[in-house]
Amino acid sequence: QQPVQSPQAVILREGEDAVINCSSSKALYSVHWYRQKHGEAPVFLMILLKGGEQKGHDKISASFNEKKQQSSLYLTASQLSYSGTYFCGTGTNAGKSTFGDGTTLTVKP
Amino acid sequence: DAGVIQSPRHEVTEMGQEVTLRCKPISGHNSLFWYRQTMMRGLELLIYFNNNVPIDDSGMPEDRFSAKMPNASFSTLKIQPSEPRDSAVYFCASSLGLAPYEQYFGPGTRLTVT
């Protein structure tokens, strides 16, 4: 089942914060986040497995709620390099991945 | 270390022709995934392998599509015959194993069928 991402698009100024959400109607085994720049391949950001888990590096972090039905990606003090399309992917314990439609983030100077 | 290698990077072919896309996963990775990306349908998982064995091919759109992984360092995705609606970017990704390992994507093959 495809996860639902929101919002579809975000426009920010440098230094502003953004939150991207990914939700499912049923509990997920895992959720993973990728960023894809135009004309390039998706690049892995992080994966979350446990309900209530939070992870992050640099100024990008993510959380997985207790029921494992929603994950959020937090981008703090955004930089121009953060621009791109962010995908959440939900995984099963058999390795199958299903990706959301993506959220396009544009950071302007 | 080399990442996932895909060839060709661009392919333009006429409807009805056979198309073969190639992928070399990262050495040591035992899982390989084929995706298709279009504006209309987003990023779709077509098929994935673990230890060279196809695990789930439910995403393969039609019998015109087939994929093989004859050994740990090579996989092919074949479309025969190709149709204009097959035009898309096809990505290959590899990982250390099935979930919950991260996937490393290749640069993709942009296929145009005229």
Side-chain angles (χ1 to χ4, degrees):
Chain A
Q1 184 177 8
Q2 185 181 30
V4 177
Q5 282 188 241
S6 62
Q8 287 186 314
V10 184
I11 299 175
L12 301 173
R13 293 286 181 188
E14 264 188 302
E16 293 181 338
D17 302 340
V19 180
I20 300 171
N21 297 305
C22 176
S23 62
S24 173
S25 59
K26 55 182 181 180
L28 304 167
Y29 176 75
S30 65
V31 65
H32 36 118
W33 289 93
Y34 291 79
R35 175 172 60 206
Q36 184 178 29
K37 293 185 178 288
H38 183 69
E40 299 180 6
V43 174
F44 173 80
L45 294 176
M46 64 191 79
I47 188 167
L48 300 104
L49 287 172
K50 300 176 183 177
E53 184 175 9
Q54 295 189 31
K55 268 189 183 179
H57 56 82
D58 201 8
K59 294 178 180 177
I60 300 177
S61 62
S63 64
F64 203 6
N65 74 345
E66 289 290 342
K67 291 186 177 181
K68 299 182 70 174
Q69 288 180 275
Q70 179 165 322
S71 177
S72 296
L73 185 72
Y74 307 92
L75 300 106
T76 306
S78 58
Q79 306 167 15
L80 295 176
S81 61
Y82 286 4
S83 292
T85 300
Y86 289 80
F87 291 96
C88 73
T90 58
T92 70
N93 57 2
K96 189 167 186 174
S97 304
T98 307
F99 285 88
D101 287 334
T103 296
T104 301
L105 178 73
T106 304
V107 181
K108 295 187 174 183
Chain B
D1 288 340
V4 175
I5 299 172
Q6 291 186 246
S7 64
R9 294 293 307 277
H10 302 273
E11 176 81 36
V12 180
T13 190
E14 293 184 348
M15 183 174 62
Q17 297 298 306
E18 177 180 296
V19 175
T20 299
L21 311 181
R22 297 172 176 79
C23 175
K24 177 178 170 56
I26 293 172
S27 178
H29 284 191
N30 64 5
S31 296
L32 184 139
F33 306 78
W34 282 101
Y35 292 91
R36 177 173 69 176
Q37 186 174 39
T38 61
M39 289 295 292
M40 290 296 294
R41 301 179 67 87
L43 193 60
E44 302 174 276
L45 176 64
L46 300 177
I47 184 172
Y48 63 102
F49 297 82
N50 190 48
N51 293 322
N52 312 336
V53 176
I55 303 300
D56 189 328
D57 66 354
S58 59
M60 297 285 260
E62 298 172 37
D63 291 344
R64 298 184 296 106
F65 286 70
S66 63
K68 294 182 180 179
M69 192 164 186
N71 57 61
S73 58
F74 184 66
S75 177
T76 59
L77 178 68
K78 186 177 294 185
I79 308 172
Q80 165 64 17
S82 57
E83 296 184 3
R85 59 191 166 130
D86 301 332
S87 297
V89 179
Y90 290 80
F91 288 106
C92 171
S94 71
S95 67
L96 281 171
L98 297 180
Y101 296 100
E102 61 263 36
Q103 296 178 25
Y104 294 83
F105 283 74
T109 295
R110 181 172 294 277
L111 174 65
T112 303
V113 183
T114 60

